[in-house]
Amino acid sequence: MDTLDFRYLTTIVFTSIFSVFGIYHLLSFLVLKHRLLLYYFILILGLTLHWSLYFFLNGAFGGELAALADKASLTTAMVTTLGLLLFTKSYLNISAEKHPILSKIYKVTLQIVVALPVLQITNHLTAKIVWLNEFLVLMAAFMAMSSILLNIFSGVRLFRSHKLNRYYLYSYAPILMAALLYIGTWFAKRYYEFDVNPILLTTSILVTFQLILFSLIIGFKYKAIEEQHMQMQINANKRLEAEVAKQTADLQLAKKVLEDQNEELEKINQLKNKLFSLLSHDVRAPLNNVVTIIELIQQDIENSELKPITENLKNELSDKVSMVNDLLKWSYQQLDGVGLDKEECDLNNVLESIKDEFSRMAEDKNITIEVAASQPTLVVDCAMLQVVLRNLTSNAIKFSDNGQKVVLWSQMNGEHIELGVRDFGMGMEKDWYQRLQNDKRPEIRKGTKGEKGTGFGLVISKDFVEMNGGQLICESEIGKGTNFILRFPANSDNPTSQTNTSNSPVHSF
């Protein structure tokens, strides 16, 4: 076998070996998506291209391709150097955060390595300066050797950072020897003529051995990464278990506190029930008895001047009995959770009954009660509705002057059914009602004749309206009166009415 055949044979063999390594690690990168494998593939790609240039350098495919291959050797050498720098930087975990100076050196070196092929190609396509091309070739050889020394320095510098860094440094001897042989032979060949085949064979073997070692340390690297991820997962699971245990303990404690609070609330509710039961038997019954006694007294003093006094006393007591009844009904609704008993109420009958109920109280102040019911029906708890209207009517009479009137009304207003009580008396401050809405704190006010009120009536009315899905609205102005509006949605339960409401008593002041 002559020299030419031997060189071709070794080129084919080692180029094939490098190609197999490159394809394997490219496929590994496509599967595992780790940059370390991509950088290793770039390193092997540069070696494969560089070794395969011999097929063209000997002139077998013409002098032009040989010259082009000679110039391309700088590019393939720099691709190899680029891959080696990126591979080392990634393997040793050299980052700007952990190793700022070393990372900056790698950044500058990488920029020079990339710039050299660009400058050579630009020179070849434009100026074609011979000395510049020679200078770039020498710079490429210098950068290749400098990169290998930089990688060795990095391995020594970071030797104790991680045990895998030691493996990298230990495995670096073949490529160092191959670089020294290859670059030294390249320089000597430029000035002396000698047989380079044994040196190239040795270099090829060393590079192949280096690729094997790099492949092994990549395997170690992935094993370490897997162990690290496993340990991180174990630590995360432990932290999660501890957090779950803590949250569970907190929930159990909160549950115990909540159970204790519920038990205490149950006792309080039982106490409230007893309290309102006491109010029912010990307050309401005597008041009713007093009303009965006054009626008996009135029968004996038909023409006495005490007649108006006893009449007023009777009316006031009747009002207080009504208030107690309403308060009890509201309290039972709050405490015992009694459900609503909704039905279709005849608003004409309801408003007329309220008018009749308060006719005597109105007559005492010469007040006229009018009914203007343009909306005939409403689906609601009728008993609650009567409680609300009774409270509002009582207030309207209390805060009206002699000779004024009170209007009980209902109407259809767009998508709502509205009804309410309007008076033309004292009026009320709007912020007073706002306090009622926000804080539910009743305020004691006196009527036009000094009648006392507790403020509970509006609280009860507001709650009853909202429990039935409605809204209690107050329109008022001092000296011009008050209009309380009960607004309910006209849904499927409350059929719409075609009644004209243009003359409705509901107007803003």
Side-chain angles (χ1 to χ4, degrees):
M1 179 179 296
D2 57 21
T3 302
L4 182 62
D5 293 336
F6 178 78
R7 180 67 183 277
Y8 264 107
L9 179 61
T10 55
T11 301
I12 292 172
V13 170
F14 286 105
T15 301
S16 301
I17 293 173
F18 298 159
S19 298
V20 171
F21 271 97
I23 293 171
Y24 171 77
H25 287 91
L26 175 61
L27 294 176
S28 299
F29 166 73
L30 294 176
V31 173
L32 299 176
K33 304 296 183 182
H34 199 287
R35 287 182 297 177
L36 183 65
L37 294 170
L38 176 62
Y39 299 152
Y40 194 42
F41 166 73
I42 295 174
L43 166 62
I44 299 173
L45 175 64
L47 286 173
T48 304
L49 295 175
H50 196 72
W51 247 252
S52 65
L53 290 178
Y54 176 74
F55 293 121
F56 307 96
L57 287 173
N58 64 353
F61 295 93
E64 292 184 0
L65 283 178
L68 183 62
D70 181 61
K71 291 182 172 57
S73 63
L74 182 146
T75 301
T76 55
M78 291 299 95
V79 171
T80 305
T81 304
L82 176 68
L84 183 59
L85 287 170
L86 292 173
F87 173 78
T88 303
K89 187 171 182 290
S90 177
Y91 186 90
L92 298 178
N93 293 323
I94 300 174
S95 62
E97 294 78 15
K98 296 181 179 179
H99 313 286
I101 298 177
L102 196 57
S103 177
K104 190 172 183 179
I105 294 174
Y106 268 90
K107 183 178 180 180
V108 174
T109 305
L110 286 168
Q111 291 174 346
I112 297 174
V113 168
V114 172
L116 289 175
V118 175
L119 292 174
Q120 187 198 39
I121 295 173
T122 303
N123 179 56
H124 177 70
L125 295 176
T126 56
K128 298 183 179 179
I129 302 174
V130 176
W131 66 265
L132 180 59
N133 184 73
E134 292 295 324
F135 173 75
L136 293 174
V137 170
L138 290 175
M139 278 294 298
F142 173 76
M143 290 306 301
M145 195 64 204
S146 298
S147 298
I148 291 176
L149 295 177
L150 175 61
N151 291 338
I152 294 175
F153 171 78
S154 300
V156 174
R157 175 71 175 78
L158 304 177
F159 184 78
R160 298 184 182 278
S161 298
H162 197 281
K163 65 179 182 180
L164 293 177
N165 295 356
R166 305 173 190 175
Y167 299 158
Y168 177 84
L169 190 61
Y170 295 153
S171 68
Y172 211 77
I175 197 170
L176 176 62
M177 295 174 60
L180 292 174
L181 282 173
Y182 190 86
I183 295 174
T185 301
W186 179 79
F187 272 109
K189 186 66 176 176
R190 295 172 68 88
Y191 303 103
Y192 304 100
E193 193 65 35
F194 58 93
D195 185 11
V196 299
N197 288 331
I199 298 175
L200 291 176
L201 177 61
T202 303
T203 302
S204 300
I205 294 173
L206 288 173
V207 171
T208 303
F209 185 54
Q210 183 66 70
L211 294 179
I212 295 173
L213 291 177
F214 275 171
S215 299
L216 290 175
I217 65 172
I218 287 176
F220 293 148
K221 181 79 171 180
Y222 269 99
K223 183 179 180 182
I225 292 175
E226 183 180 355
E227 291 176 352
Q228 182 180 6
H229 287 174
M230 183 64 70
Q231 187 61 43
M232 291 174 59
Q233 185 64 43
I234 292 174
N235 293 337
N237 290 340
K238 289 181 178 179
R239 289 195 298 271
L240 182 60
E241 289 176 359
E243 185 64 24
V244 170
K246 180 178 179 299
Q247 293 291 341
T248 301
D250 291 343
L251 287 174
Q252 290 176 346
L253 179 61
K255 180 183 178 183
K256 180 65 170 59
V257 172
L258 185 60
E259 289 175 349
D260 293 342
Q261 290 177 346
N262 287 339
E263 184 177 350
E264 186 66 22
L265 287 174
E266 183 64 28
K267 292 179 181 179
I268 293 174
N269 283 337
Q270 291 176 0
L271 179 61
K272 286 182 178 179
N273 283 328
K274 291 180 181 179
L275 175 62
F276 284 110
S277 177
L278 177 66
L279 180 64
S280 174
H281 291 88
D282 294 353
V283 177
R284 182 174 59 180
L287 286 176
N288 284 326
N289 293 335
V290 172
V291 172
T292 302
I293 292 172
I294 290 175
E295 290 177 348
L296 293 174
I297 293 174
Q298 283 182 321
Q299 294 176 4
D300 297 331
I301 56 173
E302 282 293 332
N303 299 318
S304 174
E305 60 182 10
L306 295 176
K307 177 71 173 179
I309 298 175
T310 56
E311 186 66 28
N312 290 336
L313 180 60
K314 174 187 174 184
N315 291 336
E316 188 172 347
L317 286 172
S318 297
D319 186 53
K320 294 299 182 286
V321 171
S322 177
M323 185 197 73
V324 171
N325 288 332
D326 294 344
L327 180 60
L328 286 173
K329 182 175 178 62
W330 172 74
S331 302
Y332 292 146
Q333 191 75 32
Q334 296 285 325
L335 298 176
D336 297 334
V338 178
L340 298 177
D341 185 16
K342 285 190 175 185
E343 59 180 322
E344 187 174 72
C345 295
D346 187 327
L347 295 181
N348 289 314
N349 291 339
V350 171
L351 297 179
E352 288 291 344
S353 66
I354 296 296
K355 176 183 176 181
D356 294 339
E357 184 177 344
F358 286 91
S359 60
R360 177 173 292 183
M361 181 177 178
E363 288 174 1
D364 290 340
K365 298 180 71 172
N366 195 26
I367 292 174
T368 302
I369 301 178
E370 296 182 359
V371 175
S374 59
Q375 170 64 26
T377 59
L378 173 67
V379 177
V380 72
D381 188 313
C382 292
M384 288 188 180
L385 178 62
Q386 289 176 339
V387 170
V388 174
L389 293 174
R390 188 178 295 115
N391 279 315
L392 298 180
T393 304
S394 176
N395 285 343
I397 296 173
K398 286 178 184 178
F399 301 116
S400 294
D401 291 315
N402 287 336
Q404 292 183 330
K405 68 176 180 178
V406 173
V407 181
L408 311 179
W409 57 270
S410 68
Q411 69 173 16
M412 185 70 193
N413 186 10
E415 297 181 353
H416 296 90
I417 295 176
E418 297 178 344
L419 68 153
V421 179
R422 180 174 184 180
D423 66 73
F424 301 87
M426 295 171 56
M428 59 195 301
E429 295 287 352
K430 291 185 178 180
D431 61 345
W432 185 91
Y433 184 69
Q434 192 64 38
R435 289 199 302 271
L436 170 66
Q437 287 184 311
N438 294 337
D439 303 327
K440 295 185 178 180
R441 290 181 296 186
E443 182 176 315
I444 298 176
R445 303 175 71 231
K446 292 185 177 181
T448 55
K449 285 191 174 182
E451 302 98 324
K452 294 181 180 180
T454 63
F456 280 111
L458 286 180
V459 176
I460 297 170
S461 298
K462 181 175 181 292
D463 281 355
F464 276 11
V465 172
E466 292 177 354
M467 288 170 64
N468 282 271
Q471 182 182 9
L472 180 62
I473 302 170
C474 177
E475 296 178 347
S476 184
E477 187 173 342
I478 298 298
K480 293 186 178 181
T482 302
N483 186 24
F484 275 101
I485 305 169
L486 284 61
R487 179 175 293 166
F488 299 90
N491 51 28
S492 57
D493 291 334
N494 287 311
T496 60
S497 171
Q498 303 300 323
T499 304
N500 186 353
T501 61
S502 59
N503 297 320
S504 167
V506 184
H507 298 288
S508 297
F509 290 92

